[in-house]
Amino acid sequence: MYTHLQLRDSARPPVTLSTLHRMREAGEAIASLTCYDASFAALVDEADVDVVLVGDSLGMVIQGHDTTVPVTLDHVIYHCKAVAKGMHRPFLVADLPFMSYPSREVALANSVRLMQEGGARMVKLESGVEQVRIVEFLASHDIAVCAHLGLRPQSVHKTGGFRVQGREQDAAARMLQNALDLQSAGADIVLLECIPSDLGKTITDALDVPVIGIGAGPGTNGQIQVLYDILDITPGRKPRFVRDFMAGAGTPLSALKAYVQAVKSRSYPGPEHCF
Ligand code: KIV
């Protein structure tokens, strides 16, 4: 079936990388969320979320672990399949989990699984200098890649916990250079987590690819949040950048629509959500 041709002229054609580039150029904020199952995927689609990530945050919000480290590739594929079934418009990205990209060849094999078995359109990997060659290799095989910089939850045991990154001048300069190198290597999207707002804007302005932030301030091209955080499902204390969109919303769908509207109008994140 040529589904893409049937959907191209529909009222809600699927979001592609070209759509995201056009949005960036037009200054339209990209509204993104994580998702882990088909029912929520249908709601997220109905709320007009542009990008959906099957994140390894599922290890924390679904499986109950205190980090994302225990998540395996099979776990991500299982959830990705479910999400892919529930939606058609958003651009579907899947995480390469902890130690699923130790070399270029393993990263390629696992990305192929996320796409062929999970239905992902793009893979995301937590990136530093060491991942530039991996991104280059994936890109040379025409795999769409999102490079995740800033706070990298898969590395918390090494880096000392869930902390704001890039506060010091030399760390900020290194992150900017990493982002430029990853873009040159072929990264199609950069995701920035938990960094000062001015650094989020500096990196966004320096790049040509769309930049999506979580706790990276209002100056990025889009925002992403963990679905269960903004619906106030995650129990207990949540990160500073989270806003409870269920408050006063009535239904999850209304809350999701409010999130998309707040991202698009750039009323979220506010100063109280930033570093
Ligand atoms: O795994 C995840 O959900 C993520 C988001 C926090 C961006 O990487």
Side-chain angles (χ1 to χ4, degrees):
M1 281 195 307
Y2 299 117
T3 313
H4 63 289
L5 290 181
Q6 326 311 335
L7 292 173
R8 190 175 289 169
D9 296 324
S10 71
R12 301 177 72 247
V15 174
T16 64
L17 254 186
S18 319
T19 320
L20 299 176
H21 274 276
R22 278 200 299 276
M23 289 171 74
R24 179 190 165 279
E25 272 153 34
E28 182 186 345
I30 300 166
S32 320
L33 275 177
T34 68
C35 192
Y36 318 99
D37 69 64
S39 300
F40 270 123
L43 290 182
V44 162
D45 188 342
E46 198 178 337
D48 271 338
V49 168
D50 303 303
V51 174
V52 165
L53 168 69
V54 180
D56 59 2
S57 52
L58 71 88
M60 298 166 85
V61 299
I62 303 274
Q63 298 175 334
H65 299 296
D66 57 359
T67 72
T68 60
V69 172
V71 176
T72 67
L73 191 74
D74 285 335
H75 295 155
V76 179
I77 290 172
Y78 174 90
H79 289 280
C80 201
K81 272 184 186 162
V83 169
K85 278 221 168 83
M87 58 176 223
H88 83 272
R89 180 183 171 272
F91 189 64
L92 181 55
V93 184
D95 256 341
L96 281 163
F98 181 66
M99 278 303 142
S100 65
Y101 46 102
S103 68
R104 304 186 316 171
E105 290 72 20
V106 175
L108 177 61
N110 287 334
S111 301
V112 168
R113 285 197 64 202
L114 288 176
M115 295 174 74
Q116 289 191 325
E117 296 175 44
R121 305 287 200 247
M122 169 180 268
V123 300
K124 173 165 87 60
L125 68 166
E126 296 185 7
S127 312
V129 182
E130 310 72 28
Q131 279 71 43
V132 171
R133 286 180 61 249
I134 294 176
V135 168
E136 196 168 48
F137 193 64
L138 295 179
S140 75
H141 287 80
D142 285 344
I143 293 190
V145 181
C146 172
H148 179 154
L149 291 171
L151 172 60
R152 293 177 295 148
Q154 292 171 16
S155 307
V156 288
H157 294 312
K158 180 80 173 171
T159 56
F162 295 91
R163 294 177 196 290
V164 180
Q165 302 292 306
R167 280 202 197 274
E168 302 77 22
Q169 224 175 351
D170 56 337
R174 269 199 310 277
M175 203 184 297
L176 172 59
Q177 191 56 53
N178 272 348
L180 289 165
D181 292 346
L182 287 156
Q183 173 179 267
S184 301
D188 302 280
I189 292 184
V190 166
L191 187 147
L192 300 174
E193 177 165 358
C194 226
I195 61 171
S197 299
D198 54 351
L199 180 57
K201 176 147 176 50
T202 301
I203 295 177
T204 304
D205 291 347
L207 297 184
D208 298 322
V209 297
V211 177
I212 296 177
I214 173 165
T220 55
N221 305 125
Q223 303 293 328
I224 185 160
Q225 286 290 311
V226 170
L227 176 70
Y228 287 13
D229 289 353
I230 64 149
L231 293 182
D232 200 31
I233 294 170
T234 316
R237 186 172 165 190
K238 287 175 267 302
R240 176 187 171 95
F241 48 75
V242 174
R243 179 170 140 195
D244 173 9
F245 283 90
M246 258 323 272
T251 65
L253 180 59
S254 305
L256 294 173
K257 286 184 173 170
Y259 168 73
V260 172
Q261 205 275 331
V263 170
K264 299 274 177 195
S265 66
R266 298 191 190 270
S267 61
Y268 173 76
E272 69 278 24
H273 306 115
C274 297
F275 303 105

